[in-house]
Amino acid sequence: MAWLFPWLLFLHVLAAIAAFGPTFAAPVVASLVAKEPQHANFFARSQMLLSKRLITPLALSLGVTGVLMVLVTGIDLTRNVWLGIAIVLYVIAISFALLVQTPNGARLVELTATPSPGGPSPELIRTAAAVRRGGMLLTLLVVTIVFLMVVKPGVA
């Protein structure tokens, strides 16, 4: 089954690039939305669509290909602490994304659907800030996981 590992690794890395590339670009576009709030709903809807159709399915596939690679190689997680930590961070990131970030993003879509005549509501400001903080947390988790997977600290 060792022949399967390179294929799984290819799918794993490709999924990571495709899933998280758009999330690294989102803050750049968000800065434009801050200057042109009339486009906030379009941006919020596009982010939710990307999440639903691309980011979430690919992020979940990382768990599948990761487990399969562990099974194919027979790697001992107790002897590879870096991998165990990366797996825990992945579970935290996926859980946070599905249970917190996705509902906050959906609420942001609702709040930006109808322009407010007196400017953004306090709830809109709070929700946008929560989505921004959540995105920063998820980015930090992804960067940390990639660091662990590439550097493999503690491995000679």
Side-chain angles (χ1 to χ4, degrees), residues 76-87 148 153-155:
D76 181 359
L77 295 177
T78 63
R79 298 187 67 191
N80 294 280
V81 176
W82 61 270
L83 182 55
I85 293 169
I87 291 169
L148 291 168
V155 175

Side-chain angles (χ1 to χ4, degrees), residues 82-146:
W82 61 270
L83 182 55
I85 293 169
I87 291 169
V88 168
L89 293 177
Y90 167 81
V91 170
I92 290 168
I94 289 292
S95 298
F96 180 82
L98 294 175
L99 299 173
V100 178
Q101 195 72 349
T102 297
N104 281 343
R107 183 66 183 137
L108 194 58
V109 169
E110 293 171 13
L111 292 170
T112 58
T114 308
S116 178
S121 70
E123 183 181 8
L124 173 57
I125 293 169
R126 279 193 308 274
T127 304
V131 168
R132 187 171 37 258
R133 285 190 308 273
M136 291 165 57
L137 172 64
L138 289 170
T139 298
L140 177 63
L141 288 169
V142 167
V143 169
T144 303
I145 291 166
V146 170

Side-chain angles (χ1 to χ4, degrees), residues 9 15 17-20 24 29 34 44 47 58 78 86 122 132 135-136 153:
L9 182 60
I17 292 167
F20 303 122
F24 279 87
V29 179
Q47 291 302 298
L58 289 174
T78 63
R132 187 171 37 258
M136 291 165 57

Side-chain angles (χ1 to χ4, degrees), residues 14-64:
L14 183 61
I17 292 167
F20 303 122
T23 63
F24 279 87
V28 175
V29 179
S31 68
L32 290 174
V33 172
K35 294 174 188 167
E36 300 178 30
Q38 68 271 24
H39 302 296
N41 183 256
F42 174 79
F43 178 67
R45 287 184 293 119
S46 70
Q47 291 302 298
M48 289 299 294
L49 184 64
L50 275 172
S51 179
K52 180 180 179 182
R53 293 199 184 159
L54 181 75
I55 298 166
T56 299
L58 289 174
L60 291 171
S61 79
L62 292 171
V64 174

